[in-house]
């Protein structure tokens, strides 16, 4: 069964609204989770590292105020796309490493975000 | 910074034949992991195979094997006896071990593999 649950799997919303995506580790604690973004027919690009109890670490070029990350517990990280616009439409996917050696990496099933 | 390059955007192979997907990477690290992930149309990320850089022996998983050339920074995937279910996008990925600095996956551009009946 899935060890990382991501919700929702698909969301459609109007431009200007905020959307929250949840990434939950099942049966294990994840002090660190990763958020990736994937455009159609392209690769996964790391957006940020979510750290439990502290601020997220964002990759260069990722707007912190646009993509808010909260890792309030050892099993849950959330990504909020604020004031979403059509260019934010994409596939977002999270992963959580198991153990300090990062092995294995478990991926959520992803969230398809469509902004109208 | 690490980079991963997959120079084959698309590949096709006949069912039951063998195909090799190429991957090169650049890093100054000595200890790291390399992975091949499969992403079918469902977009679920499925781990195919992994290789620890300190191990000289090439990893194998049933029909999947790698040719890891550390000095050349090359990590190719060989799929034997290709099956229709192997049709997917394949990503090569690099990872430094150990949090907090490690754990991030750096992906190549991907190779779209089509297995034809």
């Amino acid at each position: 069964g899935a060890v990382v649950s991501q919700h929702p799997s698909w969301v459609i919303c109007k431009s200007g609204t905020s959307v929250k995506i949840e990434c939950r580790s099942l049966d294990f604690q994840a002090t660190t989770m990763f958020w990736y973004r994937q455009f159609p027919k392209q690769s996964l690009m790391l957006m940020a590292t979510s750290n439990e109890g502290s601020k997220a670490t964002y990759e260069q070029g990722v707007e912190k105020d646009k993509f808010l990350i909260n890792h309030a517990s050892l099993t849950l990280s959330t990504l909020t796309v604020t004031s979403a616009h059509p260019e934010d439409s994409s596939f977002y996917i999270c992963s959580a490493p198991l153990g300090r050696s990062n092995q294995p990496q478990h991926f959520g099933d992803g969230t398809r975000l469509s902004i109208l | 910074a690490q980079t991963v390059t997959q120079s084959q955007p698309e590949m096709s192979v006949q069912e039951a034949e063998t195909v090799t997907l190429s991957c090169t990477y650049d890093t100054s690290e000595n200890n790291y992991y390399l992975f091949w992930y499969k992403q079918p149309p469902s977009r679920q990320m499925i781990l195919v195979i992994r290789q620890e850089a300190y191990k000289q022996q090439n990893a194998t998983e049933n029909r999947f094997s790698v040719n890891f050339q550390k000095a050349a920074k090359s990590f190719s995937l060989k799929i034997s006896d290709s099956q229709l279910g192997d049709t997917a996008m394949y990503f090569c990925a690099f990872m430094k071990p150990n949090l907090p600095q490690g754990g991030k996956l750096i992906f190549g551009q991907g190779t779209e593999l089509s297995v034809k009946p």
Side-chain angles (χ1 to χ4, degrees):
Chain A
V3 294
V4 173
S5 174
Q6 189 171 339
H7 178 80
S9 57
W10 197 353
V11 59
I12 303 172
C13 60
K14 294 181 179 180
S15 183
T17 59
S18 294
V19 179
K20 181 183 286 188
I21 302 170
E22 294 187 348
C23 181
R24 197 177 295 273
S25 61
L26 308 178
D27 299 328
F28 73 100
Q29 295 179 339
T31 57
T32 300
M33 293 184 180
F34 300 98
W35 287 96
Y36 298 86
R37 182 175 183 176
Q38 184 181 31
F39 290 107
K41 298 290 187 180
Q42 293 189 23
S43 187
L44 283 76
M45 297 298 294
L46 179 66
M47 298 176 65
T49 302
S50 176
N51 304 300
E52 188 269 333
S54 64
K55 292 182 179 180
T57 305
Y58 290 82
E59 295 299 305
Q60 191 173 7
V62 177
E63 299 177 59
K64 300 178 183 181
D65 296 332
K66 163 67 76 174
F67 300 101
L68 299 180
I69 290 173
N70 185 280
H71 196 147
S73 78
L74 288 170
T75 59
L76 176 64
S77 174
T78 60
L79 168 67
T80 301
V81 184
T82 62
S83 186
H85 289 95
E87 59 267 28
D88 299 323
S89 298
S90 188
F91 187 70
Y92 295 86
I93 190 165
C94 68
S95 75
L98 184 64
R100 185 167 177 77
S101 67
N102 318 138
Q103 293 301 311
Q105 287 267 3
H106 295 287
F107 282 88
D109 287 340
T111 298
R112 185 179 301 177
L113 175 62
S114 297
I115 309 298
L116 304 177
Chain B
Q2 290 78 27
T3 59
V4 179
T5 302
Q6 292 178 250
S7 58
Q8 304 155 315
E10 298 177 354
M11 293 278 285
S12 65
V13 63
Q14 290 296 128
E15 195 175 7
E17 296 294 308
T18 296
V19 64
T20 299
L21 308 184
S22 301
C23 174
T24 59
Y25 59 95
D26 190 26
T27 184
S28 59
E29 302 287 332
N30 190 49
N31 186 26
Y32 49 87
Y33 289 89
L34 294 165
F35 305 88
W36 279 97
Y37 280 92
K38 169 185 177 180
Q39 188 181 44
S42 66
R43 305 190 82 168
Q44 183 183 15
M45 293 296 286
I46 301 167
L47 177 64
V48 175
I49 200 165
R50 70 179 183 186
Q51 174 82 42
E52 291 97 332
Y54 63 86
K55 290 187 177 180
Q56 292 187 347
Q57 187 173 5
N58 289 325
T60 61
E61 286 288 343
N62 300 313
R63 298 183 295 108
F64 299 89
S65 62
V66 298
N67 183 1
F68 173 49
Q69 301 290 326
K70 190 173 184 179
K73 296 179 182 175
S74 171
F75 183 61
S76 61
L77 174 70
K78 185 171 80 171
I79 305 174
S80 303
D81 186 24
S82 297
Q83 300 176 359
L84 297 178
D86 295 333
T87 293
M89 181 73 85
Y90 286 81
F91 292 102
C92 178
F94 171 99
M95 189 191 82
K96 289 197 298 184
N98 300 326
L99 299 167
Q101 284 74 29
K104 307 174 187 181
L105 287 165
I106 308 300
F107 289 92
Q109 302 91 325
T111 297
E112 190 166 10
L113 177 67
S114 297
V115 180
K116 300 186 184 303

